[in-house]
Amino acid sequence: MLKKLLKYFAFIFFITFQIASAQFYSFGRNKVHYESFDWKIIKTKHFDIYYYDNFEEMAEIGANYAEEAYHDLKIKFDGLVTRRIPLIFYNTHIQFEQTNTTPGFIPEGVGGFFEFLKGRVVIPYLGSLEQFRHVIRHELVHVFMSNKLHNVIKNHRVTTDRYPPLWFVEGLAEYWSYRWDTQADMVMRDAVLNGLFVPLSDINRIRGTFLMYKEGQNFLQFISQTYGEDKILLLMENYWRFKKFKEVLEYTIGEDLQTIDNKWVYRLKQHYYPLYKNDYPHSIHSKKLTNEGFNFSPNYFKKDSTSYIYFIANRTGYTSVYELKYESKAKKMFEPKLLIKGEKSALFESFHLLKPSLTVSSKGDIAFVNKSGGSDVINIYSVIDYELKNTFRFDNLISLSSPHFSADGNQLVFNAIDRKGFSDLFILDVENGHINRLTNDYYNDKDPIFGKDDKTIIFSSDRTDGKYKLKYNLFKYDLSTHKVKYLTYVNANIETPRFSPDYSELFFNCDYDGTFNIWKLVKDSNNEPKGIKQYSKFLTSVFDFTFVNDSTVITSSFEKFSFQFYELNLNSLPDSNSVFVPNEFNSAIDKWLAKKLSVKSKRDKLKYKRKYSLDYAVGQVLTDPIYGTRGGALFSLSDLMGDDRYQFLIYNTAEVQSEFLKNFNIAISRLNFGKRTNFGYGIFHFSGQRYDIRQSDQFFFERIFGGYFSLIYPFSSFDRIEATVSLANSDRDVITKLIGRKAILLSNVISYVHDNSLWGPTGPLDGSRFRVLMGYTTDIKFSNVNYYTFVADYRKYFRLGLRTSLATRASIFINDGKEARRFIAGGSWDLRGWRRWSIRGEKLWLSSIELRFPLLDRIYIKFPFFGLQLAGIRGALFFDAGGAWDRKYTETLGSLGGGLRINLFRVITLRYDIGKKIEKNFTQFQPKLFYQFFFGWDF
Amino acid sequence: MGFLKNKIFIYLFVLSVALSGCAKPLILVNFVSNYGDFNRVTSGGVKAFYTDRTLGDSLKLIWNEKTHGGYANTFLRAYKDILFVPDLSGIITAFDFKTGKELGAIKNNGEIRAAPILYKTTLIFIVNNLNENYGTLHFYNLTNGWDYKVKIPFGSKGELLGTKENLFVLAKNGTLYKFNYQRRKLWQTNATGLTFCSPTLDANQIFFGNQKGELISVDSKTGKIWYRRKISAGFEGGITSFNGSLFIGDKNGIVYKVSTDEGRVVWKFDTGSKIKNFITFHNKQIFVGNLAGKLYSFNMDTGEVNWTSYIGGVINATPLIFNNYIVQPNLNKNTYIIDINNGKIKRTIKFDNKCRTAPGYYQGMLYFGIDNGEIYAYEVIE
């Protein structure tokens, strides 16, 4: 057993090495590196700042933010990080998603991270300097906290196998990096007022969610206000004293957790409940139009006397473009129609849900932004003809958002982030594709719309200076003079301006009273902007809205932790508490200037050169009464960007001292992910007893050494081609120490892989994945081995409901020729009911159909001294069929039954199946039932 | 690797692990001492943190040893040619002051943040216990290893205060205890209010500050609270007394001179960042370092700034004052030798880790406690 474990241990780490059976492979999407980044470094007093392209100006601003944050945090933490901290800046989120500093995929909502292995801080620039500053500080809090705790633990010489709970880690990072802002307050209001709030004693229920971040931040704010700011640092300085964080908390605060929790909840209720006096939920003054998913960017259009709303939403797990019929007096909710399927093909690779990304013209064209390849594109789609008319991609513009048509539908104004990191405004001529740049600076200019007669652009920007510096106010850009003028000057953030259909009034979202609501611009008798007047007073934010007519809007609003559409009559809102805020243009001055860190010396501005450091090193020595002692080690080195890696595996399977050198196993690989084509190559020497798949419980000795080279080229996130060639010398015992077999094996394998599947908790639920593989292995010297390989494995998932799916699989595996290796099947992963890996043959076919559904969302069993909770228990009903043979087909095997699946801690899925085998060439069921327990994801 | 099946190797392996985990207990059968060589008591004209020496330009590293745990920003004490080093893993290690030879260790389960006090053959120290909400005051007899323990609820974060006859312990919850060296508790006074302060004694009054920003005066004979005055946002560092005045820095970085008789603020100055260490003084100057890495010299009487010196890093530990130089450790792995008259850095001693403890001087030797449990001993060439 131990030898098998060690064998598969090596196998798992060299998946590109496909000389052996091609059965164990992976699907998966691709992290495509559309460009190679030409990295440069700025060295400051405490940081090495990595940037590329023309991002130098923003990098110098970021460097200043970092040094400021360092100075502040060393005082807060009463400690220093004495090593140099690598900060890696990406110009946009799209390029950030290509980073190799972390192996996994980065979702849209991730604004940066601190990576522990090499202590790297990796941050995308999202167009706003204030947000950039916030994220830099947030991640540096992680760096300092990690350093502090490490020192506390090390200096006290207590075990290091502990870390504070995530709510504290992220809550602290938010609390010590930024103020309590509108977004934070919106989330907490919603949670407290709608019964979604989770007390600290139960906070693991929302682990990893945005609510957890904000609850953590709020809780630390409460601790500071109630017990003193010094308690926050004390929580870390006392960390050594108790194993459980709960005890550290109670010791530091001096009260038990229940009391602290009660006080916190009481404080929150005191703060938020009075809001009901003047504010109201969306469901009170507006009519709900959608009920599921996350719905954004509503745009109204009437065609053929029927009204529709066009929008972007995630209702199934895939973000897509939808059309929703709208009738003002309708009593029921209409079901949206899917117009464009997102996240399944390269053209509509992914959407940006939280940014305004869709607009509709008077001609019935919708323009929407999505990611496709290495940048965003604008697609023009006709909702009259239901066809895609055009796709625009711009060479130096990476991230796009907020498209808006001119009145005649011939022009489109939008926001884009370029290679310098500047977030500016552009106008596209839809007919000829020509673009004009309107602004060119580091202020975040966003949400542009055309003014009346299309002669001006109204937009939101953080260029506000003076008394309300950095607030997002509205500005007017004159297209003839190219001058920018303040339209509002208030102590609030203003976004998403929208004209009424007749252009007589300008409405927008504003957070003056703590949450984004609908306000209007008020003009004086000279038609100059006088101030802003509040219209709605919803408890939670309006994110976006579109006019249906002069008095009715459709809003995309946040309530009960979802984003739904509401129909709102502006004239029906209570006017009694409406607020008017005058503009204070006297306090306004022109634009602010960002401070940069002055780096003049050539010594401090360098080109990036690869330096390698250890990622991890794992060693193990095992001993058992039968096989004696085995040992091995695996370690990995990579450069700072994670583009280039070296892996070393070494282990020994000798049973006696004399076999020590003979049974030495070693493999060295280099893997490079820096360019679009990933490649790897390596050498290996494996020697030891191998399990003979032909004969049960028999082993043969084999020594194999050689080298391999692999290439992977991704066409998109969903499709790739893989190719491997290997050459190895193989010496094997056919009959132990009597008859041997030598061969010099040359193996060539090529595969095409596709995967756009959407995963649920235990396996895929939607989409499809397949692999087609062809290979040829031959002994080029002794002609002892000569076989070809063909594998086709196709899996398709038919969505029946949000969490229910019908999964199908059809696979064929063929090795044909001399000394062709066998494939194996049987067990919980394919032919259920049959003994694991008991079905063997040089040819194998498998087919399955399985209904996957949710069974129990949550079950909690409370024992006298502890509680046990299991969540997300799913069920399955399945039917499997297959067969294996060498030369002649013998029989078809099958099984059918049902099972349970539980995902434990998002790491492993446990499976339990019950059913009946179909035996004797598919003619009869087994007399009794089989019961099979194992682990592993659904196919 | 079948040879590893051989049992003898397993036994040897286990034995070596067991032996390496053991340290020699500290028993000094022939140990004799009167009162310690340096002690931070400030009454009777004994000045804190000051040594009446001139520091020469040469420092020669004589020895460098390791202890088990790291250090708090406390003091290193040498008595009768033995350097006692308390660490955060709960161990006090004793070294020969000149050679660095380890003489033994006293092991406890918890952390020791404060410097021990020696009375005759008894070493007195306080341990904040692991997994517990209290500390333990130890009276450890060096000649035979007998250890008498007293439980101190909530433990203590400040230094012990020892006089010729008595010992004062300030617990974290604001309770002040008075013991005699015969281990008897004479009184306790609960001043309520979280405190990390290290108390000081001046003319029969004990003074300390707390997290609420109160300055509290307690009669050292009776334990009666004379006054408590809120003068600040909160205190975390030590309090120093001299000639009827108190000097203390608070968590906002404000330095106070306070009169002892009424607790009246004589003058104050805002340095901008938290002050955690003791304020030191010499020759009408007082010296203050803050967490932003700035060092100040003030006129003791008027509060006027004589000079400021930005050395960077974080100043957390109390400096040692010579007649000509200030020796200031910093968390940025440097210890600075600074001209006492103008604040200029004369020399920087670089270490591999953060400089944690206040430097100690004893019979021509200068000691530094560095992160990761390292002690450096330099010979001072005057």
Side-chain angles (χ1 to χ4, degrees):
Chain A
M1 182 61 187
L2 192 57
K3 288 184 217 184
K4 280 187 234 169
L5 275 174
L6 284 171
K7 267 209 295 281
Y8 291 129
F9 181 62
F11 214 59
I12 287 162
F13 284 95
F14 290 90
I15 54 171
T16 56
F17 171 55
Q18 296 184 51
I19 190 171
S21 165
Q23 190 164 11
F24 298 102
Y25 45 72
S26 61
F27 291 100
R29 298 193 188 192
N30 312 311
K31 185 187 276 194
V32 186
H33 302 92
Y34 294 100
E35 46 195 308
S36 305
F37 301 114
D38 181 22
W39 292 99
K40 293 165 228 167
I41 313 172
I42 292 173
K43 285 189 172 292
T44 69
K45 192 169 174 193
H46 301 104
F47 299 94
D48 291 333
I49 294 176
Y50 297 82
Y51 68 97
Y52 56 91
D53 273 356
N54 304 326
F55 200 65
E56 189 168 319
E57 188 175 4
M58 307 306 259
E60 286 175 355
I61 295 172
N64 187 51
Y65 290 154
E67 287 293 342
E68 273 179 358
Y70 187 95
H71 180 82
D72 292 342
L73 291 175
K74 76 176 184 186
I75 295 167
K76 277 183 151 52
F77 281 92
D78 185 12
L80 285 173
V81 178
T82 48
R83 63 175 175 87
R84 294 190 66 77
I85 303 169
L87 284 189
I88 302 171
F89 291 154
Y90 284 89
N91 298 13
T92 60
H93 202 277
I94 287 178
Q95 289 162 334
F96 169 65
E97 289 168 21
Q98 299 173 36
T99 186
N100 285 319
T101 51
T102 180
F105 291 98
I106 298 177
E108 182 91 9
V110 172
F113 59 84
F114 166 53
E115 175 276 317
F116 288 86
L117 278 181
K118 293 192 194 300
R120 297 170 283 201
V121 175
V122 188
I123 296 175
Y125 182 66
L126 302 181
S128 157
L129 282 173
E130 182 68 1
Q131 195 266 354
F132 194 36
R133 184 173 171 272
H134 170 195
V135 176
I136 289 172
R137 292 182 85 97
H138 176 107
E139 301 306 330
L140 288 180
V141 170
H142 286 316
V143 174
F144 272 80
M145 191 203 77
S146 174
N147 180 74
K148 179 82 184 179
L149 290 177
H150 172 77
N151 283 329
V152 165
I153 296 289
K154 189 181 74 169
N155 284 332
H156 287 82
R157 295 292 188 266
V158 294
T159 53
T160 55
D161 61 343
R162 51 170 105 170
Y163 207 66
L166 191 62
W167 69 262
F168 178 78
V169 173
E170 295 298 344
L172 182 71
E174 280 294 275
Y175 177 58
W176 271 359
S177 65
Y178 206 58
R179 63 182 182 275
W180 187 253
D181 64 1
T182 304
Q183 186 189 56
D185 203 55
M186 174 192 80
V187 168
M188 284 303 287
R189 276 188 190 203
D190 186 53
V192 172
L193 295 177
N194 290 312
L196 297 168
F197 173 78
V198 176
L200 201 73
S201 47
D202 213 12
I203 203 163
N204 278 331
R205 272 205 283 133
I206 54 168
R207 192 177 189 279
T209 64
F210 191 65
L211 178 60
M212 182 212 73
Y213 274 64
K214 291 296 138 187
E215 285 204 15
Q217 182 185 359
N218 190 278
F219 178 76
L220 291 173
Q221 192 173 283
F222 158 76
I223 292 292
S224 171
Q225 288 165 355
T226 311
Y227 302 101
E229 176 72 11
D230 52 285
K231 290 294 187 293
I232 312 288
L233 181 63
L234 268 180
L235 282 170
M236 290 178 272
E237 289 183 340
N238 288 335
Y239 188 61
W240 64 276
R241 202 154 183 166
F242 301 95
K243 275 198 174 137
K244 292 184 184 165
F245 193 75
K246 174 177 171 281
E247 289 169 320
V248 174
L249 183 66
E250 289 175 339
Y251 170 76
T252 304
I253 303 298
E255 289 175 359
D256 63 273
L257 181 63
Q258 193 61 57
T259 305
I260 301 168
D261 228 349
N262 289 342
K263 286 184 179 177
W264 179 39
V265 171
Y266 175 64
R267 171 76 73 90
L268 285 168
K269 287 179 178 173
Q270 273 187 311
H271 181 69
Y272 288 118
Y273 281 9
L275 290 171
Y276 274 124
K277 191 171 176 214
N278 295 316
D279 298 0
Y280 34 82
H282 291 279
S283 42
I284 294 297
H285 280 293
S286 47
K287 177 178 141 197
K288 206 170 188 188
L289 298 178
T290 58
N291 222 5
E292 284 177 3
F294 297 87
N295 307 275
F296 292 89
S297 301
N299 278 264
Y300 171 81
F301 181 71
K302 193 166 183 175
K303 60 174 177 174
D304 302 332
S305 75
T306 305
S307 298
Y308 295 93
I309 316 247
Y310 295 92
F311 60 102
I312 293 177
N314 189 319
R315 300 171 68 84
T316 61
Y318 291 109
T319 305
S320 304
V321 179
Y322 288 87
E323 175 187 83
L324 174 70
K325 191 173 168 193
Y326 166 72
E327 276 177 26
S328 173
K329 292 187 177 118
K331 292 205 169 119
K332 62 167 185 172
M333 280 187 202
F334 293 104
E335 193 57 35
K337 173 181 163 190
L338 179 64
L339 274 190
I340 291 163
K341 274 187 211 179
E343 301 177 348
K344 277 185 161 177
S345 64
L347 181 56
F348 308 112
E349 190 180 312
S350 66
F351 287 81
H352 310 299
L353 257 189
L354 292 169
K355 294 196 272 187
S357 302
L358 185 144
T359 184
V360 63
S361 76
S362 52
K363 295 193 237 181
D365 293 332
I366 57 169
F368 61 90
V369 171
N370 63 263
K371 177 177 176 284
S372 174
S375 70
D376 281 340
V377 297
I378 294 179
N379 286 298
I380 310 289
Y381 180 92
S382 167
V383 298
I384 309 290
D385 305 320
Y386 292 104
E387 62 177 20
L388 187 67
K389 284 169 74 172
N390 215 335
T391 299
F392 295 98
R393 186 191 296 273
F394 311 103
D395 275 340
N396 289 315
L397 304 181
I398 313 296
S399 267
L400 314 177
S401 71
S402 314
H404 193 265
F405 275 109
S406 56
D408 59 10
N410 292 333
Q411 295 185 95
L412 201 61
V413 66
F414 61 94
N415 155 277
I417 302 177
D418 66 8
R419 291 191 172 275
K420 287 186 297 207
F422 286 4
S423 173
D424 288 315
L425 303 179
F426 298 80
I427 289 185
L428 165 72
D429 187 315
V430 177
E431 299 299 316
N432 60 30
H434 183 66
I435 66 164
N436 255 339
R437 185 170 196 140
L438 300 184
T439 58
N440 192 356
D441 48 49
Y442 48 53
Y443 307 106
N444 187 18
D445 304 326
K446 59 176 189 170
D447 300 343
I449 58 170
F450 280 92
K452 197 172 178 183
D453 298 330
D454 295 340
K455 288 181 180 156
T456 55
I457 302 288
I458 312 297
F459 64 100
S460 167
S461 175
D462 65 354
R463 60 182 61 215
T464 309
D465 201 358
K467 195 170 159 191
Y468 303 131
K469 182 177 172 183
L470 286 171
K471 291 288 183 189
Y472 281 85
N473 271 284
L474 286 185
F475 293 82
K476 185 198 283 190
Y477 182 102
D478 190 313
L479 285 168
S480 53
T481 64
H482 306 292
K483 283 195 175 8
V484 176
K485 226 172 74 160
Y486 279 99
L487 210 51
T488 67
Y489 193 85
V490 294
N491 187 17
N493 293 303
I494 297 178
E495 299 181 343
T496 56
R498 299 278 179 261
F499 276 107
S500 58
D502 60 0
Y503 284 87
S504 61
E505 309 275 16
L506 179 65
F507 290 80
F508 41 83
N509 277 335
C510 175
D511 70 350
Y512 186 81
D513 66 350
T515 201
F516 278 104
N517 265 293
I518 297 177
W519 291 60
K520 186 181 92 165
L521 187 70
V522 176
K523 293 190 176 169
D524 61 19
S525 51
N526 297 324
N527 211 29
E528 288 299 320
K530 191 165 80 164
I532 61 173
K533 181 181 163 189
Q534 188 167 13
Y535 258 72
S536 70
K537 280 184 78 65
F538 292 112
L539 285 162
T540 49
S541 285
V542 175
F543 263 71
D544 198 355
F545 59 97
T546 183
F547 274 89
V548 173
N549 55 44
D550 283 334
S551 60
T552 306
V553 295
I554 307 293
T555 68
S556 167
S557 299
F558 178 77
E559 189 170 88
K560 293 185 184 165
F561 250 78
S562 74
F563 295 86
Q564 304 300 335
F565 290 161
Y566 296 85
E567 175 195 83
L568 170 66
N569 186 329
L570 292 170
N571 294 335
S572 73
L573 293 169
D575 194 41
S576 52
N577 296 314
S578 166
V579 170
F580 171 77
V581 180
N583 282 323
E584 296 177 52
F585 290 126
N586 291 338
S587 303
I589 53 180
D590 202 20
K591 303 170 292 201
W592 48 267
L593 292 174
K595 267 194 226 170
K596 298 177 221 176
L597 205 72
S598 170
V599 183
K600 289 179 188 139
S601 147
K602 271 189 190 166
R603 193 172 50 126
D604 294 332
K605 265 193 196 172
L606 308 164
K607 262 193 86 75
Y608 170 69
K609 281 184 190 158
R610 276 196 196 137
K611 273 185 200 169
Y612 295 85
S613 59
L614 190 68
D615 292 330
Y616 55 82
V618 177
Q620 202 166 35
V621 175
L622 302 158
T623 189
D624 77 69
I626 298 171
Y627 298 110
T629 305
R630 305 282 181 273
L634 170 74
F635 56 100
S636 170
L637 304 170
S638 66
D639 70 319
L640 190 78
M641 297 303 163
D643 291 340
D644 207 39
R645 285 173 216 175
Y646 288 86
Q647 286 176 339
F648 303 86
L649 170 70
I650 184 166
Y651 68 95
N652 197 290
T653 55
E655 291 179 28
V656 293
Q657 200 173 343
S658 57
E659 291 179 357
F660 184 75
L661 287 173
K662 189 174 149 195
N663 282 39
F664 227 100
N665 293 263
I666 187 165
I668 301 171
S669 278
R670 180 191 175 199
L671 307 165
N672 185 284
F673 305 99
K675 295 188 185 334
R676 183 152 184 171
T677 305
N678 302 155
F679 66 88
Y681 54 83
I683 54 174
F684 53 87
H685 175 274
F686 294 123
S687 173
Q689 298 290 333
R690 283 199 179 197
Y691 187 64
D692 187 347
I693 296 176
R694 290 189 181 277
Q695 304 294 333
S696 300
D697 300 322
Q698 286 210 359
F699 293 85
F700 62 89
F701 180 87
E702 184 174 22
R703 180 178 174 240
I704 183 165
F705 63 89
Y708 77 94
F709 183 83
S710 260
L711 284 174
I712 297 177
Y713 181 82
F715 297 105
S716 70
S717 290
F718 310 110
D719 299 272
R720 66 177 180 271
I721 192 163
E722 300 172 356
T724 305
V725 61
S726 63
L727 183 67
N729 182 82
S730 164
D731 285 343
R732 171 201 285 206
D733 280 353
V734 177
I735 296 173
T736 306
K737 294 184 181 171
L738 287 177
I739 301 175
R741 188 278 280 134
K742 288 181 179 303
I744 295 185
L745 299 170
L746 175 68
S747 186
N748 295 283
V749 180
I750 189 164
S751 304
Y752 185 91
V753 184
H754 163 86
D755 190 339
N756 69 1
S757 59
L758 180 80
W759 276 60
T762 58
L765 283 180
D766 201 338
S768 65
R769 44 191 195 156
F770 64 81
R771 177 184 282 267
V772 177
L773 181 155
M774 291 188 296
Y776 181 60
T777 304
T778 184
D779 174 3
I780 59 174
K781 188 167 179 185
F782 304 101
S783 300
N784 282 325
V785 180
N786 194 348
Y787 65 91
Y788 74 86
T789 302
F790 175 77
V791 172
D793 186 342
Y794 181 79
R795 305 171 194 205
K796 177 117 180 92
Y797 310 96
F798 298 92
R799 198 78 169 275
L800 304 177
L802 194 62
R803 295 183 290 164
T804 305
S805 167
L806 187 70
T808 60
R809 166 174 58 186
S811 319
I812 180 100
F813 303 84
I814 296 172
N815 273 340
D816 193 55
K818 197 172 179 191
E819 208 185 282
R821 289 184 192 246
R822 278 179 161 178
F823 295 102
I824 51 176
S828 184
W829 293 351
D830 34 63
L831 273 166
R832 284 163 270 210
W834 298 86
R835 198 164 53 87
R836 191 170 66 250
W837 302 335
S838 60
I839 298 155
R840 301 158 185 206
E842 292 170 17
K843 286 92 182 161
L844 172 73
W845 73 273
L846 289 169
S847 176
S848 296
I849 184 163
E850 182 175 86
L851 180 68
R852 297 172 180 168
F853 49 90
L855 201 63
L856 276 174
D857 282 341
R858 193 181 299 273
I859 181 167
Y860 187 73
I861 305 169
K862 195 156 166 45
F863 294 99
F865 298 109
F866 70 97
L868 181 67
Q869 179 178 257
L870 294 170
I873 301 174
R874 293 181 57 80
L877 297 172
F878 59 84
F879 166 73
D880 301 325
W885 69 102
D886 288 334
R887 301 276 171 256
K888 190 178 167 194
Y889 189 81
T890 49
E891 63 169 334
T892 302
L893 310 170
S895 61
L896 67 88
L900 297 177
R901 316 276 180 260
I902 302 173
N903 181 313
L904 281 186
F905 316 118
R906 297 176 201 176
V907 171
I908 192 171
T909 290
L910 300 179
R911 320 162 55 79
Y912 184 72
D913 293 310
I914 302 173
K916 278 185 182 278
K917 291 191 289 191
I918 306 171
E919 300 168 317
K920 297 220 162 113
N921 205 15
F922 234 68
T923 53
Q924 72 179 48
F925 287 107
Q926 73 177 102
K928 295 183 180 177
L929 294 173
F930 70 79
Y931 306 90
Q932 200 162 47
F933 176 75
F934 203 50
F935 62 87
W937 305 110
D938 293 332
F939 68 81
Chain B
M1 287 201 259
F3 59 83
L4 286 179
K5 283 189 208 169
N6 199 326
K7 286 182 190 169
I8 185 76
F9 286 101
I10 296 169
Y11 292 146
L12 282 173
F13 178 69
V14 169
L15 194 61
S16 61
V17 168
L19 285 175
S20 67
C22 296
K24 192 168 114 185
L26 181 60
I27 297 177
L28 308 167
V29 175
N30 299 318
F31 185 82
V32 172
S33 165
N34 293 313
Y35 198 50
D37 277 284
F38 61 74
N39 199 308
R40 61 160 302 284
V41 172
T42 59
S43 65
V46 176
K47 287 186 180 166
F49 330 112
Y50 166 71
T51 182
D52 190 12
R53 295 274 194 277
T54 303
L55 186 65
D57 287 338
S58 267
L59 287 173
K60 185 179 167 194
L61 180 65
I62 302 299
W63 58 264
N64 157 228
E65 288 297 331
K66 277 200 82 159
T67 57
H68 191 247
Y71 311 120
N73 56 341
T74 183
F75 303 87
L76 300 173
R77 302 251 168 167
Y79 301 103
K80 267 302 204 191
D81 299 350
I82 299 173
L83 180 71
F84 292 95
V85 181
D87 70 39
L88 294 173
S89 70
I91 296 177
I92 294 182
T93 312
F95 297 97
D96 179 289
F97 91 102
K98 194 79 177 174
T99 65
K101 182 184 170 200
E102 187 179 318
L103 303 173
I106 307 166
K107 293 177 79 178
N108 300 279
N109 225 10
E111 66 167 7
I112 305 176
R113 298 192 72 88
I117 282 177
L118 184 72
Y119 178 77
K120 294 194 177 166
T121 58
T122 302
L123 192 70
I124 305 158
F125 55 91
I126 184 161
V127 177
N128 292 318
N129 293 76
L130 183 66
N131 292 324
E132 303 293 353
N133 192 9
Y134 59 82
T136 307
L137 183 67
H138 292 252
F139 293 82
Y140 182 90
N141 190 312
L142 287 168
T143 59
N144 55 28
W146 290 353
D147 193 2
Y148 182 83
K149 300 173 194 174
V150 178
K151 187 172 168 178
I152 305 287
F154 302 99
S156 173
K157 277 207 152 198
E159 297 290 336
L160 301 175
L161 177 59
T163 66
K164 273 203 171 155
E165 280 146 14
N166 298 302
L167 170 72
F168 295 90
V169 180
L170 179 61
K172 222 177 75 166
N173 65 340
T175 303
L176 183 66
Y177 298 86
K178 180 179 179 181
F179 293 88
N180 64 19
Y181 290 116
Q182 287 68 44
R183 306 184 298 264
R184 193 165 143 246
K185 186 172 76 176
L186 301 174
W187 51 254
Q188 72 178 70
T189 292
N190 190 356
T192 53
L194 185 67
T195 177
F196 307 142
C197 205
S198 297
T200 193
L201 174 72
D202 190 278
N204 295 324
Q205 287 184 83
I206 306 272
F207 299 93
F208 59 93
N210 66 17
Q211 291 283 300
K212 291 191 225 174
E214 293 173 322
L215 179 66
I216 298 164
S217 164
V218 177
D219 187 299
S220 68
K221 289 197 170 122
T222 63
K224 182 184 164 191
I225 295 178
W226 281 117
Y227 61 76
R228 59 195 305 156
R229 294 209 200 300
K230 182 166 165 59
I231 61 171
S232 154
F235 299 110
E236 276 186 35
I239 187 167
T240 311
S241 61
F242 178 69
N243 254 0
S245 295
L246 301 170
F247 298 93
I248 188 168
D250 78 0
K251 51 189 180 186
N252 289 338
I254 301 174
V255 184
Y256 297 85
K257 176 180 176 178
V258 181
S259 67
T260 54
D261 51 359
E262 291 168 4
R264 180 180 49 89
V265 174
V266 177
W267 58 256
K268 61 180 179 180
F269 184 89
D270 187 353
T271 70
S273 277
K274 191 191 281 191
I275 297 164
K276 281 197 83 167
N277 52 13
F278 283 84
I279 290 172
T280 51
F281 55 86
H282 170 57
N283 214 15
K284 288 289 188 178
Q285 289 189 84
I286 66 163
F287 307 103
V288 179
N290 66 17
L291 296 191
K294 253 186 160 175
L295 191 60
Y296 291 78
S297 162
F298 296 97
N299 180 296
M300 189 186 268
D301 296 325
T302 64
E304 216 175 293
V305 177
N306 296 323
W307 50 258
T308 60
S309 182
Y310 178 68
I311 63 173
V314 171
I315 299 175
N316 187 297
T318 304
L320 181 63
I321 312 295
F322 286 80
N323 286 332
N324 53 346
Y325 290 128
I326 298 167
V327 180
Q328 176 65 68
N330 194 305
L331 292 186
N332 64 3
K333 302 186 190 177
N334 297 329
T335 290
Y336 298 92
I337 314 286
I338 296 166
D339 190 313
I340 203 169
N341 295 310
N342 55 31
K344 286 198 180 354
I345 298 172
K346 285 297 189 187
R347 185 177 165 182
T348 303
I349 307 171
K350 289 185 187 295
F351 293 96
D352 288 336
N353 278 299
K354 296 166 188 162
C355 305
R356 283 282 175 192
T357 69
Y361 180 82
Y362 180 77
Q363 294 201 27
M365 297 289 284
L366 189 57
Y367 302 95
F368 300 100
I370 308 299
D371 233 5
N372 211 24
E374 293 190 71
I375 298 291
Y376 287 77
Y378 287 79
E379 188 179 353
V380 176
I381 297 160
E382 294 190 32

